[in-house]
Amino acid sequence: MAAMATVPSYTPSLWVRLCHALPRLDLTMQMKDNTFVPDSWEYQQTLLVLSSVSAIALVISLLVVLSFLIYYCCCHRGDRSEGSEEEEEDEDGSTGHGYSGKKGRGICCVTWVAVAAVTLCCVAIGIGFYGNSEANDGMYQLTSSLLTANYTLASIDLLISDTVAGLQLSVSGPLTSMEELFSGSKPFLVSTRNCRRLSENVVNLLSSISLVRSSFEAGLGNDSNISGASIIPLTPVPPSVAPTVVPSSSLIPRPFSPGWAANTLMVNEDYRWLSYVLLLLLDLIVCLFILLGLAKQARWLLILMTVLAWLALFLSWGSLGLETATVVALSDFCSDPNTFILNTTQFNMGTSSDVLDYYLTCSRRMNSPFQQLLTQSQRALSNIHTHLSSLDRNALTQFPKAEKSLREVQQILNSTEGNFHQLVALLNCRGLNKDYIDSLKGLCYDGMEGLLYLSLYSFLSALAFTALLCSLPGAWRSFPSESEEYEDSDSESEDPFTSHQARRQTSSGSQRGAMAPFYNYPGAGWTPPFSSAPPLP
């Protein structure tokens, strides 16, 4: 005997259990349980307290940067006059702009700090790109599973509506005609009426099958009022999945519809993914231009990058707070998703807990809640087929006019039995439970991992930008001012006829004495070397 296929199962990951075990406090600093109740104000307070940790870290970062600003602005103000003579001596003995002394050591220290901070920021950006991709993969798997489940539910709706519509058509059309034709023969009339009664019974049984009970009922038209039968749409279907399942007039969005949830999540995920990509690119641009500003020693570029670094610092700590609250809420949901779905769906939709528990757990020990209805419907269809076979053998010889109506009923019955077998297969828990497990794995495995990597990115980038903002005042102090650059440019351009080699020799040989240029003529009595002419009077 072949082994039965194992039912896929879901178990919370290690990260879910660790985040779920975190202690919770509300605004009153009291311990609270970690049950996922998003509509509760007490639960929202705990998330606010967890998010406020990043706000406290932001305040600490601001205090650190402010202390460095005070240190560079106040403590080094008196050192400028005392160290001016030493800087002049260092400039006389240096080349270029003269940064071999204190300024040279200062800019070297600032450069190394900035390079280390930029390296840390680049590592954080790489982690952020990976986390953003993982979170996007998890949301894609979640939405795909929801759309697949929505297609299954829509197919169940379609099969039920087609089966009920076909049986109602046979009751109102061919069976009514056969009753009129067999009015003179009681045995044939009884068989026809039994077929009519069994068809109405199947319509009532199939109409009672519903996975999600709504507050409204969608009729099938003028023929839907027979025996009080009506079809309840299971879920609204997006046009991209099954455009012809349910009439558009009966589409009322419900919060827990898989199709509506999938479309909403896809739109929100697109905005989330794009926002993180832009944030990562902003951090990368700020880091690269800060290095460029340090290399070029351009103060205007440093000012612009300082403003952007402040913006990136605020965004990093803000995103960390949002990610922390999301990770905690997601861990609470993923630790026990069945309980939350059972309570929420049963409360809002009025769906039976047996039906939900059957599809969420799909245990071999559980029987289908629709088993009795399907068995009764199968027996009724078999009895209809038996009565029609009897009429085909015995009644057509006496009533040849009833052949057309009898063939129409048999054709409807054949299509009904085909739809019924497909309906039995779709109502099995394996298909919908697999979609449910896939959606949980996408959300609680890949999505959770992506959020944790994004939290690490936000923390590392916030530390990197804090270090950069602390080092930028030192870079500003070490950069040459506009007056120094102007004096250097004047000293280099005061003699436009001096060649570049002469200027280099002048700067390198200032200790030995400068060579006289060829256009400086000395006074009388000077004899040029290697000249045979007598001196001028």
Side-chain angles (χ1 to χ4, degrees):
M1 184 177 62
M4 297 180 63
T6 59
V7 179
S9 60
Y10 164 77
T11 55
S13 62
L14 177 62
W15 293 112
V16 170
R17 293 195 295 268
L18 290 177
C19 296
H20 181 66
L22 290 176
R24 311 298 169 81
L25 296 174
D26 59 0
L27 296 180
T28 59
M29 296 302 169
Q30 296 179 355
M31 293 295 297
K32 295 295 180 181
D33 58 354
N34 49 9
T35 305
F36 184 65
V37 187
D39 296 334
S40 175
W41 168 240
E42 294 180 354
Y43 186 79
Q44 295 174 2
Q45 285 180 346
T46 60
L47 297 182
L48 289 176
V49 171
L50 291 172
S51 301
S52 63
V53 175
S54 63
I56 297 174
L58 175 61
V59 172
I60 295 175
S61 298
L62 295 178
L63 292 177
V64 171
V65 176
L66 182 62
S67 63
F68 270 86
L69 287 175
I70 295 174
Y71 174 75
Y72 279 106
C73 294
C74 299
C75 297
H76 287 273
R77 181 177 296 177
D79 297 340
R80 296 179 181 177
S81 59
E82 296 176 359
S84 59
E85 296 180 357
E86 297 179 359
E87 292 176 359
E88 290 178 358
E89 294 177 358
D90 293 337
E91 291 176 0
D92 292 338
S94 61
T95 60
H97 291 285
Y99 288 105
S100 63
K102 290 185 177 180
K103 284 188 177 182
R105 292 190 296 270
I107 193 63
C108 181
C109 180
V110 169
T111 302
W112 280 109
V113 172
V115 168
V118 169
T119 304
L120 179 62
C121 186
C122 291
V123 172
I125 291 172
I127 295 174
F129 273 110
Y130 177 76
N132 194 28
S133 177
E134 283 292 314
N136 188 41
D137 292 341
M139 293 303 296
Y140 177 77
Q141 184 176 355
L142 172 63
T143 54
S144 299
S145 301
L146 289 176
L147 288 177
T148 305
N150 186 75
Y151 182 78
T152 302
L153 296 175
S155 300
I156 293 174
D157 275 337
L158 181 61
L159 289 173
I160 292 177
S161 60
D162 287 347
T163 304
V164 171
L167 291 175
Q168 289 174 346
L169 181 62
S170 66
V171 169
S172 60
L175 289 177
T176 303
S177 301
M178 290 172 62
E179 287 181 1
E180 295 176 356
L181 293 174
F182 296 150
S183 60
S185 178
K186 187 175 180 180
F188 299 153
L189 181 62
V190 171
S191 297
T192 304
R193 287 180 177 178
N194 287 334
C195 291
R196 181 189 184 97
R197 179 179 55 82
L198 292 173
S199 299
E200 292 176 354
N201 189 21
V202 173
V203 167
N204 293 329
L205 290 174
L206 294 180
S207 299
S208 62
I209 297 177
S210 176
L211 300 181
V212 178
R213 298 185 183 277
S214 61
S215 59
F216 67 96
E217 293 183 357
L220 293 177
N222 298 328
D223 299 331
S224 62
N225 295 324
I226 299 175
S227 302
S230 60
I231 299 301
I232 301 174
L234 301 181
T235 177
V237 183
S240 60
V241 178
T244 60
V245 173
V246 185
S248 60
S249 59
S250 64
L251 292 181
I252 299 178
R254 295 188 292 274
F256 290 96
S257 169
W260 178 86
N263 292 329
T264 305
L265 288 175
M266 282 191 293
V267 173
N268 294 333
E269 174 60 20
D270 291 339
Y271 286 111
R272 187 208 64 81
W273 180 84
L274 181 61
S275 300
Y276 269 99
V277 169
L278 294 178
L279 179 59
L280 292 167
L281 292 179
L282 174 64
D283 294 348
L284 184 61
I285 291 173
V286 171
C287 293
L288 294 180
F289 275 88
I290 283 178
L291 291 180
L292 181 62
L294 292 175
K296 300 285 290 185
Q297 296 184 0
R299 290 194 170 187
W300 66 270
L301 187 59
L302 197 65
I303 293 174
L304 178 60
M305 290 302 105
T306 302
V307 174
L308 293 180
W310 279 109
L311 177 61
L313 179 65
F314 279 96
L315 291 177
S316 298
W317 286 121
S319 62
L320 179 61
L322 182 62
E323 290 153 4
T324 302
T326 306
V327 165
V328 171
L330 186 59
S331 65
D332 294 338
F333 169 77
C334 294
S335 61
D336 190 11
N338 292 350
T339 303
F340 173 74
I341 294 176
L342 282 171
N343 296 334
T344 305
T345 309
Q346 184 178 359
F347 176 76
N348 289 278
M349 300 299 173
T351 306
S352 174
S353 59
D354 297 336
V355 176
L356 288 175
D357 190 42
Y358 171 71
Y359 285 103
L360 294 181
T361 57
C362 194
S363 176
R364 295 189 183 94
R365 294 172 295 180
M366 296 182 61
N367 295 324
S368 173
F370 306 113
Q371 185 65 38
Q372 185 177 0
L373 296 176
L374 295 176
T375 302
Q376 294 177 1
S377 300
Q378 181 67 33
R379 290 175 181 175
L381 291 175
S382 299
N383 292 331
I384 293 174
H385 187 74
T386 302
H387 287 294
L388 291 179
S389 299
S390 177
L391 290 174
D392 190 10
R393 290 192 306 267
N394 302 323
L396 292 183
T397 57
Q398 301 179 16
F399 302 93
K401 294 182 179 180
E403 183 178 4
K404 180 179 179 182
S405 300
L406 184 61
R407 295 292 180 262
E408 291 179 359
V409 175
Q410 289 178 346
Q411 184 178 2
I412 293 174
L413 181 63
N414 292 333
S415 62
T416 299
E417 289 181 347
N419 292 338
F420 186 80
H421 290 303
Q422 295 181 17
L423 180 62
V424 172
L426 289 177
L427 286 176
N428 196 306
C429 66
R430 291 183 180 275
L432 290 175
N433 182 259
K434 182 181 181 300
D435 297 333
Y436 172 66
I437 296 300
D438 291 342
S439 63
L440 286 181
K441 289 182 178 179
L443 180 64
C444 301
Y445 289 173
D446 294 339
M448 188 73 177
E449 183 181 358
L451 284 176
L452 290 175
Y453 277 110
L454 288 176
S455 302
L456 180 60
Y457 145 73
S458 299
F459 179 72
L460 294 179
S461 63
L463 293 182
F465 283 113
T466 302
L468 283 174
L469 290 173
C470 291
S471 64
L472 290 181
W476 178 272
R477 182 174 176 270
S478 301
F479 285 179
S481 61
E482 295 181 357
S483 60
E484 293 177 355
E485 293 178 355
Y486 182 75
E487 290 176 359
D488 293 339
S489 62
D490 287 346
S491 63
E492 292 178 358
S493 61
E494 62 183 358
D495 194 355
F497 296 100
T498 305
S499 62
H500 177 71
Q501 182 178 4
R503 287 198 300 268
R504 186 173 58 184
Q505 292 176 356
T506 302
S507 60
S508 61
S510 58
Q511 301 294 334
R512 297 175 297 174
M515 294 179 61
F518 69 93
Y519 55 83
N520 287 336
Y521 295 99
W526 176 80
T527 303
F530 307 105
S531 177
S532 59
L536 296 175

